[in-house]
Structures are given as structure tokens and as C-alpha cells.
Amino acid sequence: MAGAIIEQQAAPEKNIALLGSIFGISGANSAYGILDSMGITNMYNSWWFMTLLFVFAMNIIVCSLDRLPGILNITREPLKPLPEERFKAVPPGREAVLKVPDGKAEEMVTAALKNIGFTARAGKSEGVTQICAEKGRYGRLGVYVTHLSILFILTGAVVGMKFGFTAEVKLLEGMSSDVVMTGNGREIPLGFEIRCDDFDVSFYPESERPKSFTSILTVVEEGGDVLTRQIEVNRPLRHRGITFYQSGHGLFPNSDALFKFRLNAAEGRTQDISVKLLQRFEIAGSKLTARVVDFSPALAINGEGEVFTVAESMINPGAMVEFSEGDKVMAGQWILRNYPDTWETPAGVLEFRDLWGVQYTGLLVRKDPGIWLVYFGFILMATGLYGAFFITHNRIWIRLNEEEDATGISIVSSANRNRSALDRKLDRLIEDLTKRGGSPDQGAS
Amino acid sequence: MNSSFFFGISTIVYLLAMIVYIAYLAFRKNPIGLVATAATIAGFVLQTIAFGLRWKEFADIGQMGFLRAVPLTNLYESLVFFVWLIILGYLIIEWRYSNRLFGAFVTPIAGILLAFISIGGVSTQIQPLVPALQSNWLLAHVTMSFISYAAFAISFATAIMCLILNTENRRQFVYIFWTSTCALFITALIAMGVDFLTMKVSARSSQAFIQNYLFKATFRNESGMVVLASILLLTGITFLMWRFGYLLRGLIESFSITAETLDDLTYRLVAIGFPVFTIGGLIFGAIWADQAWGRYWSWDPKETWSLIIWLVYAIYLHTRQAFGWRSNRTAVIAVVGFAVTMFTYLGVNLLLGGLHSYGAQ
């Protein structure tokens, strides 16, 4: 339970701060040292937590094995007739007399059992005919399937911990990497290269609420592109057992970033432009040149028409574009990606398409060979719980006491849970039988 | 006519049902009982319509596909859904057991909760989903978790009633246990009511509400005097519960419901809540986390505490099955289980944070 309070695998500073609020600053560092050596700061990976899990698993195995043979017998063998003495005390309302010719009663009881969903089997005990029926016997195994599933999940988790890794990599647009870093600074080679072609955040209209984080990733093997996929938060990329998850993003302003514009000039000509900061470009078909002299990741316009930076992430990148005609420098102009009104320039409509190469995508990289064991455990657990909680094992024994022109029937039953549901069914059974074969107080049919 | 209109009407109908149920409790006349049931069903139908409309409005605004637009993503929606589930559970119990005892306790909770939501000004604005929540698992994970929470909540009530019926001696541990638990819950409810009324809660997410408003007017107030007064209030309520709690016994007995029935009912509710919680809350949650975060289990505080809930109810089931425990002993475990559930919902958000803290911005 301590693990629920002390943040696990976190940077030491965070937990020291937490301890500081309890023990005071001077005590915090030594307290952290003690906790660290006990493995409490990373207790879910520590030796004693593993031991605890092992003991828990052994406990499940031993307790299940203890009861399993008896239960297996119940589920394996067909239902046997009960000894006569069990019919000495039949519960009230569980007896009836069928006034039908000899031999007909068995057929009638079988049909009535079928009506409440049971398949009957006839048998004899001490010379008296008994009809046995049961339903849901495999539900009894549900508990053991659930216990087994826990073992699968734990094994899968341990396999994942021992033979897998969880790491991170940050890729600037256009950059690639063939290694990733784990939380404790270990470098892991991927065996291939992963490249980020583009990263984009989109926002809901008129709000700063992000709608999607998307990265376009390319896998590079031996110098050639193998596959390109777009990933999102709930849609990772898998390659050679390694999965890449969209987990973060950020800005890294640098002079290699490219401003991508599309110029729609007056005569319907379009021109795609891709330039770095301060790099002069020519406007085709005119004497104008231009260059980007400043930029901001998130610009907005206030009431007076002035621009200001609203956030540190790229909500609405803006570029200050300065036009020149020959040596004559004209006034610069802010062009904002999300505001088409600002695209109107002396050279035509300069559409700001993207600022590429300043954002990086944060990827969580994971290899987990144990995951299939875990998933198999999940399926087992769901099946087991269904069996344990939603299937009831009902057993019915009906003794036929055959006389000359009438048969007395007595019913004994058992249910491993939800007794009242079985009782309602038996009430229906008795009602059905008395209707078919006449009741003690009515005449023969 | 939008969803809020129907929610408003259903709130009023629940409050009327509450009055009729209390009248039924006082006079015990069958026609009154029928009116009470009819009113509750009417409120439930209206609320169901409202829920469907809200879902459609959400899908239209969010543009993220119908299945992903389950309206369970903020405080307002989750409280409303919780009320809906409790009423549904109650109606099933009333029908199966032909007993209106619980109606007088359930409808006030539903009506007052909904009334607080409208008076307190909890934001009813629809917010589109952040990327991590855009998944088809949202529907299954969140609804099933809530269904299990509601089952645990009702099992808590039946377990407490079972304990009330089984204890009379004020020195008995079990008596002290249930009276102090009740006192704690009543005080928490009063404190939340005070929060709603004094703070004009405008929080959108339950996370923001819990961090910024919960118990701010009482136990977490800036003024030490208010905190002291709150603690004194808690002590006072605990004492009163302890001193006069046994009086509740006569009330429950008058409904000719036995401790065995209540014990059985508690077990059945746990037997529904536990598998639904395991499959919907833990397994579906783990599969979703595996897709979204790349970790099927991160020992995030909410996950850890969910595991603790799971263990407590597993203990409940095992002590019943393996040791044959019944009545008082298992009822105490069921009560503890729901207390842990409440802590997971409120306390973890309040004190610990973690990956499950959406909308903390």
C-alpha cells in the first residue's frame, strides 16, 4: 500500500519533496536513502515485491490444487442416482402423483425437464428408477480458471520485465534514431532506424483543447524506407516486436527549421516555398524578394490588432515576413497559420502551411514478449469469472415410485448458488407435471 | 427540448417520488406505494431520454463517432449517470423483493444529488475529448466501472442495514464500526452539500472539482476555526450515531426484512459488481492503457487503489466461500470495500493525482 502513496520510478526530487513535507528538509534526503535501499521507491520491481508475488502465486496454486480433484470429479462424471435414503426427507411441494399407465411417467418427466431446459438421464438406485438432470456443471471450474488466469498474468508480467524494455525517444521532425533510452539511462539499439517525418497537434475549433497528436513515422532498414505510418495516441506503430506510442511533444526552436508557404499569385499561378529563417526567396513573376525575420509558435491578435504570443506549444505559428523590391525594404508583416486574413501580402496570398523541424515528437518505445501471456490471462479471467458468477450448477434427481396405475414422484435438487432461481424452475416443473398427469386431488386425465 | 430540460424534469419527479416514499413509510398504504413506484419509473424514463439526448448532443459537437461520445467524461455527466444506475438498481430490487423499504433512502439521494447539481451550478457544458480518451474502450471501461461502483454502493447500504439489524449492544465492535462509518459518510455528504452551496462550483471535471472545491468549505478551509468546527461536527455526529443508532433497527424491522435477506442481497450485489469491475474496470482498462500509454499496468495511484478494491471484494467472496463466513463478518468487509471505492474516487484524485487525472488543467 505504501506504493500507492510514494510515487514509483519517479525522479528522486519529487519524492524527496514529498518526504520533505513530512520529515523536514534535512531529514528528507536521509529518509529517501533509507527508502531507496529498501526498494520502496521502485518497489514493484524490487526483490521483496517479487517474493511477495511469488508467495501469492504459490498460495493460489496450493489452495486450488487442494480443492480441484473433487471439483474435477463432479464435472467429469455423469450425474449418478442418489441413494434411497436421500428421498426420506423431500422438501415440501416437491412431490406429486402422476396417474398415468405404467412406463409413461418416465417419458412425461423427461419432457417436463426439457421444458425447463434440462436434459434427463434415467438410472436406477436400489431397484427404483431415478431420473437425473444437471446444467452448468462447467461453471464450477470458473473459480479455477480465474485462479489460473492470475498465474498467466503474473508470469506474463515477469517475462515482460525480464526480457522486455520500456524506453523513450524524442525525434525532431526530419530526424531519426536507431537507439532508445530507458528510464535509468540505458541505451538500447533497435536494430533499425525510426524517423519522424512530421508531427502535428490539432486543436478543437476556438479552444486550446487538443484534438489530436499525430506523428508520421518511417522505419528505415539498411538505408531504405521500409514502412511509413501515421500514429496517434490510441494508435501505436508496431515493428519487429517493438511498439512506438505517441506519448509527448515539444518545441525545439532551431535555425534549420523550414517555413513552408504556398503563394497564390494574382494570375492563378501557385508557387511552393520552403525556406529557413532569414533565407531570402524570390517571388516568381515579380521583382519582389522576401525573407522570414522572426517567428513565434502561438500568436494571437488583440483588440488593437497587435500580435502576442499565447502559448509555448505550436497552437498557431506565426512568421514575420519582410518583403523587398530590389534594395528597398518594405514593411514586415506577421503571417499566422490559422488566420487566413493575415495571408494577404503585396505579392499575393501567401498561405502559411507549416513550420517544419521545430517540433519534436516524444515516443514511448516498448518491447514486451510477455504481453501475449498477459492477454491470454485476460481472456481466461473473463471466461473464468463468467463461469464462476453467471453460470449456476443445478442438479435435479427425480425418483419414480411406480405403482399399478399411478407413479409417485419425489424431487431432490441442489444448486451451488442462486437457490431461489432453481426453486422457481422446480415450481414450474411440478405445475407442468400435474397438468400433464393429473394431481393427487384431481382424477386421471 | 434538449437534454437539460429532461434532466430538470426528472430531478423534480425524483424529488416528488421522495416525498411520496416518505409518506408511504409513515402511512404504509399500498396506493401510496404504487404512486411512489410509478413516480420513480417516470423519473427514470425521463432521465433515460435525457441521457440519450445528451449522448447525441455530445456526438454532434465532438464529431468523434457515436460510440466514443458516451456522455461520461465530466463531473456533471458522471454524477447524473451514477444516479441513473442507482435508481435502476433500486427498481430491480423493489420488483424482485416486493419491498419498498429502500425507496425512502434511494430517492432522496437521487433527488438531492441532482438538485445540488443544478443549484450548485456544476458546469453542464459539453467538452470534446482529449486525444488519450478518444478510444472505443472508453464506453466499455467507464460504463462498466460505474455499474460496479453502483452495485458496490447499494451493497454498502444493504450491508449497513444488515449490521443495524444484527447489533444492539453499544459496546460491541460491530456496532461501533457501523455507527462511525455512517457518521463519516453523513458528515462527508453534509460537507459536500456545503461545498456546493457556498462555492458555486464551476468545475468541469470531477478531478478539478475534487482538487479545488471538495471539503474546501469545511475540512480544508483556510480558516482554522472552520476546520476545528468541522472536526467537532464530525465528532458530534459520530457520538449521536453511536448513542441513538440502535433506533434505526426498529425502523428496518418494521419492513419485515430479515438480516439473512440483506446478507444474501449484499452477496448478490458484490457477485455482480466484482466480475463487472474486474472485466470492465481492470481488464478493459489494462487493454486500453496498453494501447494508449504503452503500459497495461503503471501502478498509477488509481490503478493501485483499484487493485486494493479488487482485493477487498476478493477477500469478501473467499471468506464466504472457503470459511463460510456470513452476516456481520462479511458485511464489515463489504462496508470496507465501498469505503475504499469512495477513497479511490475522491481521495486518490485529491491527494495523489497520476495518469487518471484528466482535466486537471
Side-chain angles (χ1 to χ4, degrees):
Chain A
M1 291 222 191
I5 294 163
I6 294 173
E7 197 172 329
Q8 297 299 302
Q9 298 188 345
E13 300 77 42
K14 227 171 155 180
N15 280 328
I16 289 178
L18 177 78
L19 291 170
S21 61
I22 304 169
F23 299 114
I25 300 298
S26 58
N29 278 308
S30 48
Y32 185 81
I34 295 166
L35 290 180
D36 200 26
S37 62
M38 278 164 61
I40 286 180
T41 52
N42 189 4
M43 67 177 235
Y44 303 116
N45 282 327
S46 68
W47 60 268
W48 63 264
F49 189 72
M50 286 300 208
T51 315
L52 217 63
L53 279 186
F54 182 72
V55 170
F56 177 58
M58 288 316 286
N59 178 34
I60 290 176
I61 293 172
V62 170
C63 290
S64 299
L65 284 184
D66 190 33
R67 284 158 183 261
L68 194 58
I71 297 291
L72 274 181
N73 276 342
I74 292 180
T75 54
R76 212 182 282 141
E77 285 171 22
L79 199 56
K80 286 195 196 109
L82 286 179
E84 270 296 291
E85 84 222 26
R86 292 284 298 274
F87 289 91
K88 288 246 169 68
V90 175
R94 293 287 173 263
E95 280 178 307
V97 175
L98 302 179
K99 301 204 167 167
V100 291
D102 202 20
K104 268 273 182 199
E106 194 178 314
E107 210 175 285
M108 200 169 274
V109 170
T110 308
L113 276 170
K114 199 169 183 154
N115 272 355
I116 57 165
F118 285 80
T119 315
R121 256 169 36 86
K124 272 197 192 302
S125 168
E126 292 159 46
V128 183
T129 309
Q130 264 184 44
I131 295 179
C132 321
E134 68 177 328
K135 219 171 121 179
R137 62 154 91 162
Y138 291 105
R140 293 234 185 212
L141 289 176
V143 172
Y144 304 96
V145 173
T146 309
H147 286 173
L148 185 68
S149 75
I150 294 174
L151 298 180
F152 270 98
I153 293 170
L154 292 181
T155 315
V158 171
V159 168
M161 243 182 262
K162 290 274 169 245
F163 303 104
F165 63 80
T166 300
E168 272 175 40
V169 65
K170 285 175 181 163
L171 293 173
L172 200 61
E173 288 167 311
M175 304 265 263
S176 65
S177 172
D178 58 358
V179 288
V180 290
M181 285 277 237
T182 65
N184 47 29
R186 195 157 56 94
E187 256 189 19
I188 294 175
L190 290 173
F192 54 86
E193 253 181 79
I194 185 91
R195 186 179 71 225
C196 173
D197 292 333
D198 196 13
F199 173 79
D200 193 35
V201 190
S202 69
F203 295 86
Y204 285 104
E206 275 138 58
S207 87
E208 280 172 40
R209 214 175 158 77
K211 187 177 183 191
S212 68
F213 304 108
T214 46
S215 301
I216 295 177
L217 299 182
T218 298
V219 173
V220 186
E221 277 181 0
E222 289 157 10
D225 293 1
V226 180
L227 87 144
T228 300
R229 272 267 315 273
Q230 175 180 314
I231 68 161
E232 278 177 56
V233 176
N234 275 294
R235 289 218 325 253
L237 161 76
R238 241 182 116 74
H239 185 68
R240 294 196 174 198
I242 298 175
T243 318
F244 297 87
Y245 299 86
Q246 182 69 56
S247 75
H249 67 103
L251 269 186
F252 180 68
N254 64 85
S255 55
D256 289 327
L258 290 178
F259 294 86
K260 298 190 169 182
F261 299 105
R262 173 171 290 168
L263 182 69
N264 301 296
E267 305 87 54
R269 275 181 299 112
T270 60
Q271 177 190 356
D272 281 328
I273 299 159
S274 178
V275 288
K276 289 184 185 174
L277 190 69
L278 300 177
Q279 183 188 351
R280 193 167 290 281
F281 57 96
E282 293 181 354
I283 308 284
S286 77
K287 285 172 190 149
L288 291 173
T289 60
R291 59 179 190 152
V292 179
V293 293
D294 194 6
F295 90 94
S296 164
L299 280 189
I301 300 175
N302 68 11
E304 277 92 56
E306 294 162 345
V307 292
F308 62 100
T309 298
V310 289
E312 287 302 305
S313 57
M314 248 191 17
I315 295 174
N316 182 16
M320 168 70 115
V321 181
E322 181 194 82
F323 291 91
S324 311
E325 192 169 4
D327 291 340
K328 206 180 103 202
V329 176
M330 298 154 76
Q333 173 180 356
W334 277 108
I335 295 182
L336 310 184
R337 190 183 65 184
N338 298 0
Y339 297 161
D341 294 354
T342 62
W343 299 348
E344 209 63 56
T345 71
V349 177
L350 190 63
E351 184 185 340
F352 190 177
R353 293 168 66 85
D354 196 11
L355 172 55
W356 188 83
V358 280
Q359 290 191 97
Y360 64 82
T361 180
L363 301 174
L364 189 131
V365 186
R366 193 194 62 174
K367 182 181 170 190
D368 189 349
I371 190 85
W372 301 113
L373 284 171
V374 173
Y375 270 57
F376 181 67
F378 286 167
I379 295 170
L380 270 188
M381 186 179 271
T383 325
L385 286 171
Y386 180 80
F389 288 100
F390 299 109
I391 298 179
T392 311
H393 186 201
N394 286 335
R395 289 182 288 186
I396 303 173
W397 294 270
I398 302 179
R399 190 185 63 161
L400 303 181
N401 197 5
E402 291 171 330
E403 318 244 309
E404 271 178 27
D405 60 344
T407 303
I409 63 166
S410 322
I411 305 175
V412 171
S413 64
S414 92
N416 66 336
R417 50 194 299 280
N418 207 355
R419 174 82 230 179
S420 55
L422 179 61
D423 278 334
R424 279 196 296 274
K425 277 185 188 161
L426 290 179
D427 288 343
R428 263 167 52 206
L429 180 85
I430 293 274
E431 203 181 311
D432 190 17
L433 280 175
T434 43
K435 222 180 275 167
R436 284 164 195 255
S439 65
D441 12 310
Q442 287 166 357
S445 57
Chain B
M1 292 207 283
N2 57 10
S3 63
S4 346
F5 173 78
F6 280 100
F7 277 133
I9 303 271
S10 66
T11 308
I12 295 167
V13 175
Y14 284 144
L15 288 172
L16 287 177
M18 165 181 96
I19 296 167
V20 186
Y21 268 114
I22 292 169
Y24 174 72
L25 203 63
F27 301 112
R28 305 290 164 86
K29 293 268 190 288
N30 246 343
I32 303 180
L34 282 178
V35 172
T37 308
T40 314
I41 293 174
F44 181 75
V45 169
L46 285 166
Q47 209 194 345
T48 312
I49 296 171
F51 187 70
L53 282 175
R54 175 85 181 183
W55 196 320
K56 198 180 165 301
E57 286 160 18
F58 195 12
D60 289 346
I61 289 180
Q63 298 292 332
M64 75 279 273
F66 196 73
L67 279 183
R68 291 184 184 181
V70 49
L72 274 178
T73 50
N74 59 27
L75 177 67
Y76 168 74
E77 290 166 347
S78 47
L79 285 177
V80 166
F81 185 62
F82 191 67
V83 168
W84 186 83
L85 280 175
I86 286 188
I87 293 285
L88 175 66
Y90 165 69
L91 284 173
I92 292 173
I93 290 175
E94 187 190 298
W95 170 59
R96 289 287 286 270
Y97 290 79
S98 316
N99 197 318
R100 293 202 172 87
L101 166 66
F102 308 110
F105 298 97
V106 171
T107 46
I109 294 175
I112 290 170
L113 204 55
L114 288 179
F116 269 139
I117 294 169
S118 26
I119 298 166
V122 176
S123 169
T124 61
Q125 213 186 329
I126 289 175
Q127 288 166 295
L129 296 177
V130 295
L133 293 178
Q134 292 167 20
S135 165
N136 292 336
W137 290 105
L138 173 71
L139 177 64
H141 176 60
V142 178
T143 45
M144 287 176 83
S145 302
F146 263 93
I147 288 170
S148 58
Y149 288 165
F152 292 152
I154 306 177
S155 79
F156 166 77
T158 52
I160 288 272
M161 283 190 227
C162 178
L163 292 178
I164 292 174
L165 276 183
N166 275 338
T167 51
E168 48 199 289
N169 185 347
R170 278 205 293 267
R171 287 165 192 275
Q172 218 175 333
F173 164 75
V174 178
Y175 181 86
I176 296 169
F177 173 80
W178 79 254
T179 48
S180 47
T181 313
C182 275
L184 202 62
F185 269 78
I186 292 170
T187 317
L189 279 179
I190 294 174
M192 276 157 100
V194 175
D195 288 331
F196 272 110
L197 293 179
T198 56
M199 295 286 189
K200 283 282 165 207
V201 177
S202 60
R204 288 172 175 177
S205 68
S206 39
Q207 165 81 14
F209 162 71
I210 290 164
Q211 284 191 341
N212 303 331
Y213 298 98
L214 185 71
F215 300 150
K216 268 282 156 75
T218 48
F219 292 97
R220 295 205 295 148
N221 200 285
E222 274 135 33
S223 146
M225 289 306 284
V226 176
V227 176
L228 190 68
S230 310
I231 292 170
L232 284 176
L233 179 79
L234 172 64
T235 322
I237 290 178
T238 311
F239 176 76
L240 286 176
M241 274 310 291
W242 174 77
R243 184 69 189 77
F244 298 109
Y246 67 93
L247 293 174
L248 288 170
R249 196 174 156 199
L251 181 71
I252 293 169
E253 269 173 350
S254 71
F255 271 85
S256 59
I257 193 159
T258 62
E260 285 72 45
T261 313
L262 287 166
D263 186 47
D264 182 55
L265 201 51
T266 311
Y267 167 71
R268 278 162 191 243
L269 285 158
V270 173
I272 292 169
F274 182 77
V276 171
F277 180 73
T278 315
I279 296 172
L282 298 181
I283 296 184
F284 289 177
I287 297 173
W288 185 10
D290 185 38
Q291 267 184 22
W293 302 327
R295 296 181 174 102
Y296 52 85
W297 193 264
S298 339
W299 294 108
D300 142 88
K302 190 144 193 171
E303 290 174 356
T304 311
W305 279 94
S306 298
L307 186 66
I308 295 170
I309 298 178
W310 187 79
L311 287 173
V312 172
Y313 284 108
I315 291 171
Y316 175 89
L317 293 166
H318 282 86
T319 51
R320 265 185 98 88
Q321 196 65 39
F323 307 147
W325 287 14
R326 288 290 182 278
S327 221
N328 280 4
R329 290 205 255 184
T330 47
V332 167
I333 304 176
V335 169
V336 170
F338 186 64
V340 176
T341 310
M342 283 314 287
F343 180 78
T344 307
Y345 193 70
L346 299 177
V348 168
N349 280 330
L350 188 61
L351 304 169
L352 302 166
L355 287 167
H356 274 85
S357 32
Y358 290 106
Q361 317 88 0

